Amino acid sequence: MQTSMMLEFPVDEYEARIAKLIAGMQKYGFDAVLLSSKENTRYFSGLQSIVWDSKIAVPGLLVVTANGDMTIVSSTSNQPTVKVTSCLEPDRLLAYTRTKEPGFPDTFPKAIAYALEKFKVSGGRIGMEIGTGFRVSMSYADQKALFSLIPNAEIADAAQLLWEIRRVKSPREIEVMREVCRINVASYKKGFESIVCGKTTEEELYRIMCAESFLQGAENILPLGIRCGRERYPQGNCPPSNRVIGKEPGEMMLVDGGPCYKGYYSDIIRQAVSGKPTDRQQMMYDIAVEGNNLGLSVIKAGIPASEVCRIVDGFFSSKGMDPYNRCKGWMGHGVGLDVHELPTLSMDCDVILEPGMVMALEPELFDAEIGVFGIEQNFVVTETGCELLTPAPQELMRLPM
């Protein structure tokens, strides 16, 4: 492997990841894996490109075999970018061109099939990103063309293998997660302090938080969920609107999401109220925050992810909040190169928590008449507990009217 100009981690980080991938392929009986998503190609090879969001172009596809052979298949026009952002030596890369130049495959599927034939795995068991949490970054037509070129291959789901590797973050990844969480906390502070009730709109708040995130060092930011007022309370995961924040006293406001730094996301929720909350609003908010803190207090390596969910659900039930527990059975998710990763903190997740897992805990109470209540925290699992990565104030912020 090479130390390229724009590699985000030292080469030994990628070597360790590939070693885990090869060991996992041997464990699950894969002869090769094809990785085409932005997150997995970046994770295992470092590949970056500004056209990942294109629905037409594919910057590159990583091929790894159980014997340790590797290549990135890309167009000739994308090769220079692959060379400066990935850890693979230039002579291991494979290009295709639509101009039918001698020595080059002339389509993306033909180039992938050529690599598999070269590595003597075209008739083997090939893992692809077809399970929960992944998407193959190839058109349906290209997939059909590829499969027709490797008719003896067995295509299998590699999702379990990939999540077993990615769900536990390395010390270097955790350092990146600490930084993106720092950026997020700073963005929330700037945004909430900038709100003028009756004047600032949800969209304006979003732009303020975007600007602060980029000034703090972010490379991207989620389309934040920002909602204020009774008509907006039920609209979970809705983007910001042109609605003015704090038109009337007692309007609950929620901001959900965060920025991306070196490919890694932070995802938190904080809330404010215009003027003074009612007694019931404050009560429900306090119970929701207490439930979150209770969940954090029981997290440590060795306990099932479902146990966290069971304990928080039980707490809400003991407080008479069952009818308002909108997240019953599902309390959170992993965070990393994807904003939602496996495992989940849910009753149907049998994963045992391990040191190095970075996750978000977000239990929520909901009353359609008075608001949504709860915060979201990011943390990393340790042997004896967890490290909180998002120490933003937990209090319900009161916005002056």
Side-chain angles (χ1 to χ4, degrees):
M1 291 188 176
Q2 67 163 354
T3 301
S4 60
M5 183 188 305
M6 296 179 64
L7 209 58
E8 295 174 302
F9 294 98
V11 169
D12 63 348
E13 178 80 10
Y14 297 98
E15 290 174 338
R17 296 174 183 182
I18 292 292
K20 289 179 182 178
L21 180 61
I22 292 172
M25 290 164 62
Q26 294 168 351
K27 170 185 172 183
Y28 284 98
F30 291 115
D31 296 295
V33 292
L34 304 181
L35 303 177
S36 63
S37 70
K38 174 176 70 173
E39 294 78 20
N40 282 324
T41 53
R42 189 171 186 173
Y43 180 83
F44 288 105
S45 75
L47 175 60
Q48 300 178 60
S49 173
I50 66 170
V51 297
W52 272 116
D53 292 330
S54 169
K55 302 301 185 290
I56 299 173
V58 179
L61 180 144
L62 177 64
V63 181
V64 183
T65 76
N67 293 325
D69 295 312
M70 295 173 59
T71 188
I72 294 177
V73 178
S74 65
S75 67
T76 52
S77 62
N78 278 321
Q79 280 249 313
T81 296
V82 175
K83 289 178 181 178
V84 299
T85 64
S86 79
C87 63
L88 273 68
E89 295 90 345
D91 61 1
R92 302 183 76 174
L93 305 178
L94 176 62
Y96 67 94
T97 176
R98 296 181 179 87
T99 59
K100 301 186 183 299
E101 295 178 33
F104 291 91
D106 62 0
T107 69
F108 187 36
K110 287 181 182 178
I112 300 169
Y114 174 84
L116 295 174
E117 290 167 5
K118 177 183 176 183
F119 296 149
K120 298 182 172 57
V121 292
S122 59
R125 188 165 185 261
I126 298 174
M128 294 185 68
E129 302 154 295
I130 54 179
T132 302
F134 297 117
R135 301 291 185 273
V136 176
S137 186
M138 294 172 63
S139 70
Y140 179 62
D142 278 350
Q143 291 183 58
K144 286 179 61 179
L146 172 63
F147 297 157
S148 72
L149 293 168
I150 51 172
N152 296 321
E154 176 193 352
I155 305 301
D157 178 16
Q160 183 173 347
L161 164 60
L162 295 170
W163 282 129
E164 284 182 5
I165 298 169
R166 280 183 49 193
R167 71 191 183 192
V168 176
K169 273 55 178 179
S170 71
R172 290 182 179 120
E173 287 181 281
I174 293 170
E175 280 302 311
V176 172
M177 293 297 300
R178 289 192 182 105
E179 178 61 11
V180 73
C181 287
R182 182 200 67 77
I183 293 170
N184 204 8
V185 169
S187 167
Y188 271 66
K189 182 176 186 294
K190 176 69 173 182
F192 276 55
E193 290 176 350
S194 301
I195 297 169
V196 178
C197 282
K199 182 178 179 181
T200 306
T201 67
E202 295 173 352
E203 291 173 339
E204 288 169 342
L205 175 58
Y206 172 58
R207 288 193 286 271
I208 291 168
M209 295 181 67
C210 284
E212 184 63 21
S213 292
F214 283 111
L215 288 172
Q216 291 283 340
E219 69 179 43
N220 200 356
I221 189 168
L222 293 168
L224 299 176
I226 302 178
R227 308 191 305 279
C228 180
R230 182 178 298 179
E231 76 279 15
R232 297 279 284 156
Y233 295 154
Q235 299 165 7
N237 295 321
C238 191
S241 72
N242 61 4
R243 191 206 194 272
V244 172
I245 296 168
K247 293 192 292 186
E248 299 176 0
E251 288 187 338
M252 293 292 298
M253 185 200 72
L254 172 149
V255 181
D256 179 12
C260 175
Y261 171 73
K262 290 190 175 181
Y264 290 79
Y265 284 92
S266 174
D267 180 20
I268 68 174
I269 293 173
R270 288 298 186 270
Q271 293 196 263
V273 63
S274 51
K276 182 181 178 181
T278 66
D279 290 344
R280 182 163 177 80
Q281 284 176 321
Q282 188 66 59
M283 177 199 70
M284 291 188 71
Y285 182 83
D286 290 344
I287 291 173
V289 172
E290 189 176 353
N292 195 302
N293 288 331
L294 174 63
L296 291 175
S297 74
V298 302
I299 287 169
K300 64 179 179 180
I303 73 165
S306 59
E307 181 68 3
V308 181
C309 191
R310 185 190 66 78
I311 288 172
V312 177
D313 278 341
F315 169 75
F316 285 158
S317 180
S318 73
K319 295 292 185 178
M321 291 290 118
D322 254 349
Y324 308 101
N325 182 3
R326 187 152 70 170
C327 291
K328 190 171 186 177
W330 195 98
M331 293 290 164
H333 54 88
V335 188
L337 286 167
D338 287 291
V339 70
H340 287 171
E341 294 190 349
L342 294 181
T344 56
L345 296 169
S346 61
M347 292 303 294
D348 59 358
C349 181
D350 58 4
V351 170
I352 304 300
L353 298 184
E354 300 177 56
M357 288 182 173
V358 179
M359 308 190 76
L361 180 63
E362 50 177 333
E364 178 182 287
L365 300 176
F366 171 65
D367 183 321
E369 295 300 315
I370 64 172
V372 181
F373 303 94
I375 62 173
E376 181 175 12
Q377 299 278 43
N378 297 168
F379 62 89
V380 57
V381 178
T382 66
E383 288 284 359
T384 58
C386 69
E387 175 192 341
L388 182 65
L389 300 177
T390 48
Q394 299 184 10
E395 295 79 15
L396 178 60
M397 183 175 181
R398 300 188 179 190
L399 303 173
M401 293 294 293

